[in-house]
Amino acid sequence: AYAALGWTESSWCGESGAPATNKRSWNELTEQEQLNATELCLDQFNWDQNSLEVNTGQFPFIQPPLRYKQWSSLTFGQQQIAMTALLYKEETWDNVGTADIEMRSFDDLTDFQKTYAVELGFYEKTWDCFQNHYRAEPWRDLSPDVRVASEILGWNQSSWGITKPTPNSYDKSWDTLSTEEQAAATNLCHFDNIWPGGASDQLVGSFLQEGVKSQAAQMLPKAAIVASIH
């Protein structure tokens, strides 16, 4: 069944890249590939999450629980992993989207970094979705679902990239995005209080009280932030 899904001895051992099926969602597998997966005791939930947990949230994958905790809430061991392996500092951890490591795809991490990213609750799919919303991936490698969501937000093949300017939709506050745009952003693992255009007013206070801020939250007028906390 593993071979039928494209795995070889070298790819399984990490000596070559994972097969194309590894990046596809369950719905993007052929019926035969789905059958092969079920022979390995994997169903749609397990396959899409790369986990035995059931995803009951709004995102394509289970949200990494540690990433949105403030630095001071992490254990000493977790802080050491974040600093030494993933090159975070307290400031970049508590300000989502500012760490250099978040501009890299999971495949671009070293084996050492991948090991410790997993220790902090990430795996390939959650890293690429929540850390950089797939923008570190080449356009040609995006799954059809991700590509459609990106196009709804204004991206195209020539404009796509982690260092490229974002489309106009990213300048809107979350509350002014259309329902379709919000759904597309959610499919790219964006959510209200880390959206680049600004968080929902009712959520930014609770987000800041937890200590973790996004670049969007930092751009809000100080008066709005203070008012939302009080």
Side-chain angles (χ1 to χ4, degrees), residues 53-110:
E53 296 181 73
V54 174
N55 180 20
T56 58
Q58 60 183 324
F59 304 108
F61 313 108
I62 295 173
Q63 189 179 46
L66 290 178
R67 181 61 194 94
Y68 303 106
K69 287 187 176 181
Q70 68 182 103
W71 181 265
S72 61
S73 296
L74 302 180
T75 67
F76 176 76
Q78 290 164 347
Q79 290 176 350
Q80 291 301 302
I81 289 172
M83 285 192 298
T84 59
L86 302 180
L87 309 179
Y88 278 103
K89 298 182 291 185
E90 180 174 0
E91 180 182 2
T92 54
W93 180 270
D94 282 349
N95 292 274
V96 174
T98 62
D100 289 341
I101 196 78
E102 294 175 7
M103 298 181 70
R104 304 181 197 174
S105 70
F106 192 84
D107 283 345
D108 287 338
L109 302 181
T110 66

Short mmCIF file of all heavy atoms in Angstrom, two decimals, residues 53-110:
data_model
loop_
_atom_site.label_atom_id
_atom_site.label_comp_id
_atom_site.label_asym_id
_atom_site.label_seq_id
_atom_site.Cartn_x
_atom_site.Cartn_y
_atom_site.Cartn_z
N GLU A 53 -5.84 12.51 15.61
CA GLU A 53 -6.84 13.39 16.20
C GLU A 53 -7.87 13.80 15.15
O GLU A 53 -7.55 13.93 13.97
CB GLU A 53 -6.18 14.66 16.76
CG GLU A 53 -5.23 14.42 17.91
CD GLU A 53 -4.65 15.73 18.39
OE1 GLU A 53 -5.39 16.50 19.04
OE2 GLU A 53 -3.48 16.00 18.12
N VAL A 54 -9.08 14.02 15.59
CA VAL A 54 -10.13 14.50 14.69
C VAL A 54 -10.15 16.02 14.71
O VAL A 54 -10.14 16.64 15.77
CB VAL A 54 -11.51 13.94 15.12
CG1 VAL A 54 -12.62 14.54 14.28
CG2 VAL A 54 -11.51 12.42 15.00
N ASN A 55 -10.15 16.61 13.54
CA ASN A 55 -10.17 18.06 13.44
C ASN A 55 -11.60 18.57 13.50
O ASN A 55 -12.40 18.33 12.61
CB ASN A 55 -9.53 18.50 12.11
CG ASN A 55 -9.50 20.00 11.95
OD1 ASN A 55 -9.61 20.74 12.92
ND2 ASN A 55 -9.36 20.46 10.71
N THR A 56 -11.95 19.27 14.56
CA THR A 56 -13.29 19.82 14.70
C THR A 56 -13.30 21.34 14.51
O THR A 56 -14.32 21.99 14.71
CB THR A 56 -13.88 19.49 16.08
OG1 THR A 56 -13.00 20.02 17.10
CG2 THR A 56 -14.01 17.98 16.26
N GLY A 57 -12.14 21.90 14.14
CA GLY A 57 -12.03 23.35 14.00
C GLY A 57 -12.36 23.82 12.60
O GLY A 57 -12.75 23.05 11.72
N GLN A 58 -12.15 25.12 12.38
CA GLN A 58 -12.52 25.74 11.12
C GLN A 58 -11.41 25.63 10.07
O GLN A 58 -11.66 25.87 8.89
CB GLN A 58 -12.83 27.22 11.36
CG GLN A 58 -11.65 28.01 11.94
CD GLN A 58 -11.99 29.45 12.24
OE1 GLN A 58 -12.76 30.05 11.50
NE2 GLN A 58 -11.44 30.01 13.30
N PHE A 59 -10.20 25.29 10.49
CA PHE A 59 -9.06 25.28 9.58
C PHE A 59 -8.92 23.91 8.89
O PHE A 59 -9.45 22.91 9.36
CB PHE A 59 -7.78 25.62 10.32
CG PHE A 59 -7.83 26.93 11.06
CD1 PHE A 59 -7.91 26.96 12.44
CD2 PHE A 59 -7.84 28.12 10.37
CE1 PHE A 59 -7.98 28.15 13.12
CE2 PHE A 59 -7.91 29.33 11.04
CZ PHE A 59 -7.99 29.35 12.42
N PRO A 60 -8.15 23.86 7.80
CA PRO A 60 -7.94 22.57 7.13
C PRO A 60 -7.24 21.55 8.03
O PRO A 60 -7.41 20.35 7.85
CB PRO A 60 -7.06 22.93 5.93
CG PRO A 60 -7.23 24.40 5.73
CD PRO A 60 -7.51 24.97 7.08
N PHE A 61 -6.43 22.05 8.97
CA PHE A 61 -5.68 21.19 9.87
C PHE A 61 -5.85 21.68 11.30
O PHE A 61 -6.23 22.83 11.54
CB PHE A 61 -4.19 21.18 9.49
CG PHE A 61 -3.96 21.00 8.02
CD1 PHE A 61 -3.51 22.06 7.23
CD2 PHE A 61 -4.21 19.79 7.41
CE1 PHE A 61 -3.32 21.90 5.87
CE2 PHE A 61 -4.03 19.62 6.05
CZ PHE A 61 -3.58 20.67 5.27
N ILE A 62 -5.53 20.82 12.25
CA ILE A 62 -5.64 21.20 13.65
C ILE A 62 -4.62 22.30 13.96
O ILE A 62 -3.44 22.19 13.63
CB ILE A 62 -5.40 19.98 14.55
CG1 ILE A 62 -6.51 18.94 14.34
CG2 ILE A 62 -5.34 20.39 16.03
CD1 ILE A 62 -6.28 17.62 15.05
N GLN A 63 -5.09 23.36 14.57
CA GLN A 63 -4.24 24.51 14.89
C GLN A 63 -3.15 24.11 15.89
O GLN A 63 -3.46 23.50 16.91
CB GLN A 63 -5.09 25.64 15.47
CG GLN A 63 -4.35 26.95 15.62
CD GLN A 63 -5.27 28.01 16.19
OE1 GLN A 63 -5.99 27.77 17.15
NE2 GLN A 63 -5.28 29.18 15.60
N PRO A 64 -1.89 24.42 15.60
CA PRO A 64 -0.81 24.09 16.55
C PRO A 64 -1.04 24.81 17.88
O PRO A 64 -1.05 26.04 17.92
CB PRO A 64 0.46 24.60 15.85
CG PRO A 64 0.08 24.72 14.42
CD PRO A 64 -1.38 25.07 14.39
N PRO A 65 -1.24 24.10 18.98
CA PRO A 65 -1.66 24.74 20.22
C PRO A 65 -0.60 25.64 20.86
O PRO A 65 -0.94 26.66 21.45
CB PRO A 65 -1.98 23.55 21.14
CG PRO A 65 -1.20 22.41 20.58
CD PRO A 65 -1.15 22.63 19.10
N LEU A 66 0.67 25.29 20.70
CA LEU A 66 1.71 26.08 21.39
C LEU A 66 2.01 27.40 20.69
O LEU A 66 2.39 28.37 21.36
CB LEU A 66 3.00 25.27 21.50
CG LEU A 66 3.01 24.08 22.45
CD1 LEU A 66 4.36 23.37 22.40
CD2 LEU A 66 2.70 24.54 23.87
N ARG A 67 1.83 27.45 19.37
CA ARG A 67 2.32 28.62 18.63
C ARG A 67 1.63 29.91 19.06
O ARG A 67 2.21 30.99 18.99
CB ARG A 67 2.12 28.42 17.12
CG ARG A 67 2.62 29.60 16.28
CD ARG A 67 4.11 29.82 16.50
NE ARG A 67 4.59 31.10 16.00
CZ ARG A 67 4.69 32.19 16.75
NH1 ARG A 67 4.29 32.19 18.02
NH2 ARG A 67 5.17 33.30 16.23
N TYR A 68 0.40 29.82 19.54
CA TYR A 68 -0.33 31.03 19.88
C TYR A 68 -0.41 31.25 21.39
O TYR A 68 -1.26 32.00 21.87
CB TYR A 68 -1.70 31.00 19.22
CG TYR A 68 -1.56 30.84 17.72
CD1 TYR A 68 -1.84 29.63 17.09
CD2 TYR A 68 -1.05 31.88 16.93
CE1 TYR A 68 -1.64 29.47 15.72
CE2 TYR A 68 -0.86 31.73 15.58
CZ TYR A 68 -1.15 30.52 14.97
OH TYR A 68 -0.95 30.37 13.63
N LYS A 69 0.49 30.59 22.12
CA LYS A 69 0.67 30.91 23.53
C LYS A 69 1.79 31.92 23.66
O LYS A 69 2.74 31.91 22.89
CB LYS A 69 1.03 29.65 24.33
CG LYS A 69 -0.10 28.68 24.53
CD LYS A 69 0.34 27.56 25.47
CE LYS A 69 -0.81 26.62 25.78
NZ LYS A 69 -0.38 25.56 26.73
N GLN A 70 1.70 32.80 24.67
CA GLN A 70 2.77 33.77 24.84
C GLN A 70 4.02 33.06 25.34
O GLN A 70 3.98 31.97 25.92
CB GLN A 70 2.36 34.89 25.79
CG GLN A 70 2.17 34.48 27.23
CD GLN A 70 1.71 35.66 28.05
OE1 GLN A 70 0.55 35.76 28.39
NE2 GLN A 70 2.62 36.55 28.37
N TRP A 71 5.15 33.69 25.09
CA TRP A 71 6.45 33.11 25.42
C TRP A 71 6.54 32.70 26.89
O TRP A 71 7.02 31.62 27.22
CB TRP A 71 7.55 34.12 25.09
CG TRP A 71 8.94 33.66 25.36
CD1 TRP A 71 9.69 33.89 26.49
CD2 TRP A 71 9.77 32.89 24.48
NE1 TRP A 71 10.92 33.31 26.37
CE2 TRP A 71 11.00 32.70 25.15
CE3 TRP A 71 9.59 32.36 23.21
CZ2 TRP A 71 12.06 31.99 24.56
CZ3 TRP A 71 10.64 31.64 22.63
CH2 TRP A 71 11.85 31.47 23.30
N SER A 72 6.05 33.55 27.75
CA SER A 72 6.16 33.28 29.19
C SER A 72 5.32 32.08 29.63
O SER A 72 5.50 31.56 30.73
CB SER A 72 5.75 34.52 30.00
OG SER A 72 4.41 34.88 29.73
N SER A 73 4.38 31.64 28.77
CA SER A 73 3.55 30.49 29.10
C SER A 73 4.19 29.17 28.67
O SER A 73 3.71 28.10 29.04
CB SER A 73 2.17 30.60 28.44
OG SER A 73 1.47 31.71 28.93
N LEU A 74 5.26 29.25 27.88
CA LEU A 74 5.96 28.04 27.45
C LEU A 74 6.82 27.51 28.58
O LEU A 74 7.29 28.26 29.44
CB LEU A 74 6.85 28.34 26.24
CG LEU A 74 6.18 28.91 24.99
CD1 LEU A 74 7.22 29.14 23.90
CD2 LEU A 74 5.08 27.98 24.48
N THR A 75 7.05 26.21 28.56
CA THR A 75 7.98 25.65 29.54
C THR A 75 9.39 26.05 29.17
O THR A 75 9.67 26.48 28.03
CB THR A 75 7.89 24.12 29.57
OG1 THR A 75 8.37 23.61 28.30
CG2 THR A 75 6.46 23.65 29.79
N PHE A 76 10.32 25.88 30.10
CA PHE A 76 11.71 26.22 29.82
C PHE A 76 12.22 25.39 28.64
O PHE A 76 12.92 25.90 27.76
CB PHE A 76 12.57 25.96 31.06
CG PHE A 76 14.05 26.20 30.83
CD1 PHE A 76 14.55 27.49 30.77
CD2 PHE A 76 14.92 25.12 30.65
CE1 PHE A 76 15.90 27.71 30.55
CE2 PHE A 76 16.27 25.34 30.43
CZ PHE A 76 16.76 26.64 30.38
N GLY A 77 11.86 24.11 28.60
CA GLY A 77 12.30 23.25 27.50
C GLY A 77 11.76 23.70 26.17
O GLY A 77 12.47 23.68 25.16
N GLN A 78 10.50 24.13 26.13
CA GLN A 78 9.91 24.62 24.89
C GLN A 78 10.58 25.91 24.44
O GLN A 78 10.82 26.11 23.24
CB GLN A 78 8.41 24.83 25.08
CG GLN A 78 7.64 23.52 25.23
CD GLN A 78 6.24 23.71 25.79
OE1 GLN A 78 5.90 24.80 26.31
NE2 GLN A 78 5.41 22.68 25.72
N GLN A 79 10.90 26.78 25.37
CA GLN A 79 11.61 28.01 25.02
C GLN A 79 12.99 27.70 24.44
O GLN A 79 13.42 28.33 23.47
CB GLN A 79 11.75 28.90 26.25
CG GLN A 79 10.46 29.52 26.74
CD GLN A 79 10.64 30.32 28.01
OE1 GLN A 79 11.70 30.28 28.64
NE2 GLN A 79 9.59 31.04 28.42
N GLN A 80 13.67 26.73 25.02
CA GLN A 80 15.01 26.36 24.53
C GLN A 80 14.93 25.80 23.11
O GLN A 80 15.77 26.12 22.26
CB GLN A 80 15.64 25.33 25.47
CG GLN A 80 16.02 25.89 26.84
CD GLN A 80 17.00 27.05 26.72
OE1 GLN A 80 18.10 26.91 26.17
NE2 GLN A 80 16.60 28.21 27.23
N ILE A 81 13.92 24.98 22.84
CA ILE A 81 13.75 24.46 21.49
C ILE A 81 13.48 25.60 20.51
O ILE A 81 14.07 25.67 19.43
CB ILE A 81 12.59 23.45 21.46
CG1 ILE A 81 12.98 22.16 22.18
CG2 ILE A 81 12.17 23.14 20.01
CD1 ILE A 81 11.84 21.19 22.36
N ALA A 82 12.58 26.50 20.89
CA ALA A 82 12.23 27.62 20.01
C ALA A 82 13.44 28.49 19.71
O ALA A 82 13.63 28.95 18.58
CB ALA A 82 11.12 28.45 20.64
N MET A 83 14.29 28.71 20.72
CA MET A 83 15.47 29.56 20.55
C MET A 83 16.59 28.88 19.78
O MET A 83 17.13 29.42 18.82
CB MET A 83 15.99 30.03 21.92
CG MET A 83 15.16 31.11 22.57
SD MET A 83 16.01 31.87 24.00
CE MET A 83 16.18 30.45 25.09
N THR A 84 16.95 27.68 20.22
CA THR A 84 18.15 27.04 19.66
C THR A 84 17.91 26.38 18.31
O THR A 84 18.78 26.44 17.43
CB THR A 84 18.72 26.01 20.65
OG1 THR A 84 17.72 25.01 20.91
CG2 THR A 84 19.12 26.66 21.96
N ALA A 85 16.74 25.77 18.13
CA ALA A 85 16.48 25.05 16.89
C ALA A 85 15.79 25.92 15.84
O ALA A 85 16.12 25.87 14.66
CB ALA A 85 15.65 23.80 17.16
N LEU A 86 14.84 26.75 16.28
CA LEU A 86 14.04 27.52 15.34
C LEU A 86 14.36 29.00 15.34
O LEU A 86 13.72 29.79 14.64
CB LEU A 86 12.55 27.29 15.63
CG LEU A 86 12.10 25.82 15.56
CD1 LEU A 86 10.61 25.70 15.87
CD2 LEU A 86 12.41 25.22 14.20
N LEU A 87 15.35 29.39 16.13
CA LEU A 87 15.93 30.74 16.10
C LEU A 87 14.94 31.84 16.49
O LEU A 87 15.05 32.98 16.04
CB LEU A 87 16.50 31.04 14.70
CG LEU A 87 17.45 29.96 14.14
CD1 LEU A 87 17.92 30.35 12.76
CD2 LEU A 87 18.62 29.73 15.07
N TYR A 88 13.96 31.48 17.32
CA TYR A 88 13.04 32.48 17.85
C TYR A 88 13.70 33.24 18.99
O TYR A 88 14.59 32.73 19.68
CB TYR A 88 11.78 31.81 18.40
CG TYR A 88 10.74 31.47 17.37
CD1 TYR A 88 10.58 30.16 16.93
CD2 TYR A 88 9.88 32.45 16.85
CE1 TYR A 88 9.60 29.83 16.00
CE2 TYR A 88 8.91 32.13 15.93
CZ TYR A 88 8.78 30.83 15.50
OH TYR A 88 7.81 30.51 14.58
N LYS A 89 13.23 34.44 19.19
CA LYS A 89 13.48 35.20 20.42
C LYS A 89 12.11 35.48 21.03
O LYS A 89 11.09 35.30 20.37
CB LYS A 89 14.21 36.52 20.11
CG LYS A 89 15.58 36.34 19.48
CD LYS A 89 16.27 37.67 19.25
CE LYS A 89 15.57 38.47 18.16
NZ LYS A 89 16.29 39.72 17.83
N GLU A 90 12.09 35.92 22.25
CA GLU A 90 10.80 36.19 22.87
C GLU A 90 9.99 37.17 22.03
O GLU A 90 8.79 36.99 21.83
CB GLU A 90 10.99 36.74 24.29
CG GLU A 90 9.68 37.04 25.00
CD GLU A 90 9.87 37.44 26.45
OE1 GLU A 90 11.03 37.50 26.92
OE2 GLU A 90 8.85 37.71 27.12
N GLU A 91 10.65 38.20 21.52
CA GLU A 91 9.94 39.22 20.74
C GLU A 91 9.33 38.64 19.47
O GLU A 91 8.18 38.92 19.12
CB GLU A 91 10.89 40.36 20.39
CG GLU A 91 10.24 41.47 19.58
CD GLU A 91 11.22 42.56 19.20
OE1 GLU A 91 12.42 42.44 19.53
OE2 GLU A 91 10.78 43.53 18.55
N THR A 92 10.08 37.81 18.74
CA THR A 92 9.55 37.27 17.49
C THR A 92 8.52 36.18 17.74
O THR A 92 7.61 35.98 16.94
CB THR A 92 10.68 36.73 16.59
OG1 THR A 92 11.47 35.77 17.33
CG2 THR A 92 11.57 37.86 16.11
N TRP A 93 8.65 35.48 18.87
CA TRP A 93 7.61 34.49 19.20
C TRP A 93 6.30 35.19 19.53
O TRP A 93 5.23 34.75 19.10
CB TRP A 93 8.06 33.64 20.38
CG TRP A 93 7.05 32.61 20.77
CD1 TRP A 93 6.02 32.74 21.66
CD2 TRP A 93 6.92 31.27 20.25
NE1 TRP A 93 5.28 31.58 21.74
CE2 TRP A 93 5.81 30.67 20.88
CE3 TRP A 93 7.66 30.53 19.32
CZ2 TRP A 93 5.41 29.36 20.60
CZ3 TRP A 93 7.26 29.23 19.04
CH2 TRP A 93 6.15 28.66 19.68
N ASP A 94 6.37 36.27 20.29
CA ASP A 94 5.15 36.97 20.73
C ASP A 94 4.59 37.90 19.66
O ASP A 94 3.57 38.54 19.88
CB ASP A 94 5.43 37.75 22.01
CG ASP A 94 5.45 36.86 23.24
OD1 ASP A 94 5.05 35.69 23.14
OD2 ASP A 94 5.86 37.34 24.31
N ASN A 95 5.25 38.00 18.51
CA ASN A 95 4.75 38.82 17.40
C ASN A 95 4.71 37.94 16.15
O ASN A 95 5.69 37.82 15.42
CB ASN A 95 5.64 40.04 17.18
CG ASN A 95 5.54 41.03 18.32
OD1 ASN A 95 4.66 41.88 18.33
ND2 ASN A 95 6.44 40.93 19.29
N VAL A 96 3.57 37.33 15.93
CA VAL A 96 3.41 36.36 14.85
C VAL A 96 3.76 36.98 13.51
O VAL A 96 3.33 38.10 13.20
CB VAL A 96 1.96 35.83 14.83
CG1 VAL A 96 1.73 34.93 13.63
CG2 VAL A 96 1.65 35.10 16.13
N GLY A 97 4.54 36.26 12.72
CA GLY A 97 4.87 36.71 11.38
C GLY A 97 6.15 37.51 11.27
O GLY A 97 6.48 38.00 10.19
N THR A 98 6.91 37.65 12.36
CA THR A 98 8.12 38.46 12.33
C THR A 98 9.40 37.64 12.36
O THR A 98 10.48 38.19 12.15
CB THR A 98 8.15 39.45 13.51
OG1 THR A 98 8.15 38.72 14.75
CG2 THR A 98 6.95 40.39 13.48
N ALA A 99 9.31 36.35 12.61
CA ALA A 99 10.51 35.51 12.70
C ALA A 99 10.95 35.05 11.31
O ALA A 99 10.13 34.68 10.47
CB ALA A 99 10.24 34.30 13.59
N ASP A 100 12.25 35.07 11.07
CA ASP A 100 12.77 34.63 9.77
C ASP A 100 12.38 33.19 9.46
O ASP A 100 12.11 32.84 8.31
CB ASP A 100 14.30 34.76 9.74
CG ASP A 100 14.77 36.20 9.70
OD1 ASP A 100 13.95 37.07 9.33
OD2 ASP A 100 15.94 36.44 10.02
N ILE A 101 12.34 32.34 10.49
CA ILE A 101 12.04 30.93 10.29
C ILE A 101 10.65 30.74 9.70
O ILE A 101 10.39 29.76 9.00
CB ILE A 101 12.18 30.16 11.63
CG1 ILE A 101 12.25 28.65 11.39
CG2 ILE A 101 11.04 30.50 12.59
CD1 ILE A 101 13.57 28.16 10.93
N GLU A 102 9.75 31.69 9.94
CA GLU A 102 8.39 31.57 9.45
C GLU A 102 8.27 31.87 7.96
O GLU A 102 7.22 31.69 7.37
CB GLU A 102 7.46 32.47 10.27
CG GLU A 102 7.34 32.03 11.72
CD GLU A 102 6.52 32.97 12.58
OE1 GLU A 102 5.92 33.91 12.03
OE2 GLU A 102 6.49 32.75 13.80
N MET A 103 9.37 32.32 7.36
CA MET A 103 9.38 32.57 5.92
C MET A 103 9.82 31.33 5.14
O MET A 103 9.87 31.36 3.91
CB MET A 103 10.29 33.75 5.60
CG MET A 103 9.85 35.06 6.23
SD MET A 103 10.94 36.44 5.82
CE MET A 103 10.56 36.68 4.10
N ARG A 104 10.14 30.27 5.85
CA ARG A 104 10.62 29.05 5.19
C ARG A 104 9.53 27.99 5.17
O ARG A 104 8.74 27.87 6.11
CB ARG A 104 11.83 28.47 5.93
CG ARG A 104 12.99 29.44 6.08
CD ARG A 104 14.13 28.75 6.80
NE ARG A 104 15.11 29.70 7.32
CZ ARG A 104 16.13 29.37 8.09
NH1 ARG A 104 16.30 28.12 8.44
NH2 ARG A 104 16.96 30.29 8.52
N SER A 105 9.50 27.21 4.10
CA SER A 105 8.60 26.06 4.06
C SER A 105 9.18 24.96 4.95
O SER A 105 10.36 24.98 5.31
CB SER A 105 8.46 25.54 2.63
OG SER A 105 9.66 24.93 2.19
N PHE A 106 8.36 24.00 5.28
CA PHE A 106 8.85 22.89 6.10
C PHE A 106 9.98 22.16 5.39
O PHE A 106 10.96 21.75 6.01
CB PHE A 106 7.70 21.92 6.40
CG PHE A 106 8.02 20.92 7.47
CD1 PHE A 106 7.88 21.24 8.81
CD2 PHE A 106 8.45 19.65 7.12
CE1 PHE A 106 8.17 20.30 9.80
CE2 PHE A 106 8.74 18.70 8.10
CZ PHE A 106 8.61 19.03 9.44
N ASP A 107 9.86 22.01 4.08
CA ASP A 107 10.92 21.33 3.32
C ASP A 107 12.24 22.07 3.37
O ASP A 107 13.30 21.47 3.19
CB ASP A 107 10.49 21.16 1.85
CG ASP A 107 9.50 20.02 1.66
OD1 ASP A 107 9.35 19.20 2.59
OD2 ASP A 107 8.86 19.96 0.59
N ASP A 108 12.20 23.38 3.58
CA ASP A 108 13.42 24.19 3.62
C ASP A 108 14.09 24.19 4.99
O ASP A 108 15.19 24.73 5.14
CB ASP A 108 13.13 25.63 3.20
CG ASP A 108 12.87 25.75 1.71
OD1 ASP A 108 13.32 24.85 0.96
OD2 ASP A 108 12.22 26.71 1.29
N LEU A 109 13.42 23.62 6.00
CA LEU A 109 14.05 23.50 7.31
C LEU A 109 15.11 22.40 7.25
O LEU A 109 15.02 21.46 6.46
CB LEU A 109 13.02 23.14 8.38
CG LEU A 109 11.83 24.10 8.58
CD1 LEU A 109 10.95 23.57 9.70
CD2 LEU A 109 12.31 25.50 8.88
N THR A 110 16.11 22.50 8.11
CA THR A 110 17.07 21.43 8.22
C THR A 110 16.42 20.24 8.92
O THR A 110 15.37 20.39 9.57
CB THR A 110 18.31 21.86 9.02
OG1 THR A 110 17.91 22.11 10.39
CG2 THR A 110 18.93 23.14 8.44
#
